[in-house]
Amino acid sequence: MIKIITVGKKPPQEIAQAIDGYQKRLHGAFELKWVLIPNSPLPGTVGAKNESQAILRNLHISDYVILLDETGKNISSNDLAHLLIIQMETNKDIVLAIGGAYGVDESVKQRADFTWSLSKLVFPHQLVRLLLTEQIYRAQTIAAGHPYHHE
């Protein structure tokens, strides 16, 4: 199972339905568990620090943490599939963390085992959740040799 810790509100109905469509196709180690952390009422870096502390409280020492952050490394879908499979084979729990509007503080960046950027573009957090769910589904199909992903 993959745990996704995300800061923010529940997604609107149309995005929630799209996420659910991909999530229903996930099975085994690729199944998702969502942990929703409310936005901090405090602005800027103070709010980001509060949200970061909440993210850290939801992590275990043995978790393999992938932070989604615009400063991270761009990787291909095949690279993501490979990264997830390797971590699943080590029996580590995989956690993907998505910060709030002001990102995360240095404590989360230091805790992350890998920092991943979906794109150099900035996306709304709700859309990131959908993109992430689709990419996890794509990784599952790559791992299974399913033709969903085309080279």
Side-chain angles (χ1 to χ4, degrees), residues 4 6 11-23 25-26 32 34 68 80 98 116 118 123-138 148:
I4 300 174
T6 183
Q13 183 179 1
E14 59 276 5
I15 292 178
Q17 287 175 335
I19 290 170
D20 191 50
Y22 286 110
Q23 192 164 338
R25 298 184 224 169
L26 295 169
L32 301 180
W34 294 87
L68 276 80
L80 176 64
I98 307 168
W116 172 31
L118 286 175
F123 298 109
H125 282 78
Q126 305 297 346
L127 188 53
V128 168
R129 294 178 197 174
L130 174 57
L131 292 170
L132 178 57
T133 307
E134 189 280 336
Q135 284 299 300
I136 293 170
Y137 172 70
R138 185 175 296 272
Y148 177 81

